[in-house]
Amino acid sequence: DRAKYVGYSNRDCGGAGSSGSYFVPSPPAPAPETDTVLSACSNNGYLFDGETACECFACFSGSTCETYSGDDLCRINVNGGTPEVFVEYWQNHPRKSSVKMSHRIGYGPIKVQQKLKEVIKQVHKLVNNENTDDKFLVFGDGATPLISIAQMAKRSQEGRGTCQISTDAKHECQHAHVWAEKPYYSGYNPVVYPDVIQFVGERSVEDLVNETDVIEFITTPNNPDGALRGRKLVERTAVWDLAYYWPIYTAMTGPYPQESNDMSLWTLSKLTGHASSRVGWAWVKDEGTAKLMQNMACPVGCPLQSQMYAIEALQHLLETEGQIFKWGRTQFEKRWERIQAIFDKTSSFVVRNPLESRPDSYTASESYVATPPYLWFKCTNAQYLAKSSLDKNGQHSLEQLLSDNGMAARPGQYFGAGQEDHARISLYVASVTFDIFIRKMEKMFAQADALLL
């Protein structure tokens, strides 16, 4: 009777025992989640759910990306900041998403945003890299739009930056100046409103010392070189770009001082790798500025599905006590070991990343060497540099030299370096692409050094 009641037959239960009772088995456990996004394509491409064909990485082809064209016949992209390497982590830590097509289709349920705020605060608390007390959280469509929103909000709150139309219909504007120390993140320059904001990265600290209408952007660790930075313009508005201030890339030394941290910018992409979710946030001391920024960032509400996706990724981080930090740190340590090994053997190129070492409060390590996500380097062999093709500016440059050797990189001029002999390489690429990059660099280094013999 008991077996019949729970839906099992006598045979299913194994028959009656000596006591006449029946054993009722537990329902089968659900199959563990699996993710074959990389392995289905020989780890040389992606096969996404619902797709029937692999999207192969550069240099690979075939139904499962099994065919390699060879180092000399292919071109790789090491220019951008798409965090491809994180795919390898998430394939090994699959999660069944709770984000469903029927959920949260409206504009503004505040409950989701409050939940995201709480998990973000917990993540900051875990590594102690931001003091969130008495600060206001602003959500944005990624961190990049928040750069320009921060500039405009600061101008509006301070009552400056207005334009008047004169009798001849010309705009007469009082500009705010945005400044960052060189080499600076290339995104600060184009993200401006020319009638109100002017980027003045070419000017020196001495040149700006007597100007009060300046907004300083401080990127630390810095992009492109990973340098640790502080404030250069005292008693000016400061915006701290802390996208890379996580244990993956540098030592945790606590929050930046409250008195100098007017506003900080953060992004999910450099924390969990989910760049396409477009989730960024800012911590702002002034409530009025925070409200204005939020209205500018999401006038009818921030994308809820993106926020829910971010909540899942950050909850995983918390549940695993920061396992992604340890994994990411290991990946970049290995990559920097290989980079240092090839640069130690060349006389034609030098690493320009400081790779500073500091005590780390998160791991209690006394010597935590930086592992930045970008390689910033210089060609010191002018003879070899002159052998490159001419770039789009008609110059012999390291960017063009890399291009001639099958690598697309970002030129030093983008970062205010003003020199053709610098370039930035993204280390966020997939592992197989990084392997190709190392081999291409070794060959290029050998060619350059041969000219010095």
Side-chain angles (χ1 to χ4, degrees), residues 193-339:
Y193 296 88
D195 285 343
V196 183
I197 304 291
Q198 284 186 342
F199 183 74
V200 292
E202 295 302 315
R203 296 175 64 178
S204 66
V205 173
E206 293 75 14
D207 190 27
L208 294 168
V209 69
N210 293 321
E211 293 194 23
T212 59
D213 196 10
V214 181
I215 302 171
E216 180 181 5
F217 272 77
I218 308 159
T219 310
T220 185
N222 189 43
N223 176 2
D225 61 355
L228 302 170
R229 291 186 163 176
R231 199 169 187 164
K232 298 294 183 182
L233 302 176
V234 296
E235 298 181 358
R236 307 295 198 281
T237 298
V239 177
W240 294 76
D241 186 346
L242 302 179
Y244 305 98
Y245 189 38
W246 296 105
I248 298 173
Y249 313 112
T250 191
M252 296 292 96
T253 58
Y256 282 87
Q258 281 284 96
E259 63 272 11
S260 67
N261 189 348
D262 301 321
M263 182 188 304
S264 61
L265 304 180
W266 307 82
T267 176
L268 187 70
S269 66
K270 303 307 185 285
L271 173 56
T272 67
H274 295 99
S276 63
S277 66
R278 306 306 304 142
V279 172
W281 64 93
W283 290 103
V284 184
K285 282 204 299 188
D286 180 74
E287 184 177 9
T289 302
K291 287 181 177 179
L292 180 60
M293 289 179 64
Q294 191 63 81
N295 289 336
M296 295 172 68
C298 303
V300 292
C302 294
L304 292 175
Q305 280 84 358
S306 293
Q307 293 180 61
M308 293 164 69
Y309 207 75
I311 289 170
E312 289 197 4
L314 295 178
Q315 282 182 328
H316 166 84
L317 188 156
L318 294 168
E319 291 165 5
T320 60
E321 298 181 344
Q323 186 175 3
I324 197 170
F325 293 142
K326 302 177 183 68
W327 177 90
R329 169 71 172 175
T330 299
Q331 300 307 307
F332 284 104
E333 279 182 327
K334 291 178 179 177
R335 295 187 177 199
W336 273 104
E337 286 174 3
R338 296 179 66 183
I339 289 169

Side-chain angles (χ1 to χ4, degrees), residues 44-88:
N44 300 324
Y46 300 136
L47 180 62
F48 299 109
D49 290 347
E51 301 290 335
T52 57
C54 289
E55 295 182 12
C56 299
F57 298 149
C59 310
F60 294 92
S61 61
S63 59
T64 59
C65 307
E66 72 281 2
T67 304
Y68 179 52
S69 63
D71 291 353
D72 295 334
L73 299 177
C74 72
R75 181 179 180 82
I76 59 173
N77 187 340
V78 285
N79 178 2
T82 300
E84 302 277 2
V85 65
F86 283 95
V87 175
E88 299 167 27

Side-chain angles (χ1 to χ4, degrees), residues 97-129:
S97 177
S98 62
V99 180
K100 301 184 184 301
M101 296 296 289
S102 59
H103 289 192
R104 306 294 189 185
I105 64 174
Y107 286 115
I110 197 66
K111 185 176 180 181
V112 175
Q113 188 164 313
Q114 289 295 338
K115 177 63 175 177
L116 180 55
K117 177 180 179 180
E118 288 305 312
V119 294
I120 287 175
K121 291 179 70 173
Q122 290 176 49
V123 171
H124 282 305
K125 184 177 180 181
L126 176 66
V127 299
N128 190 32
N129 63 353

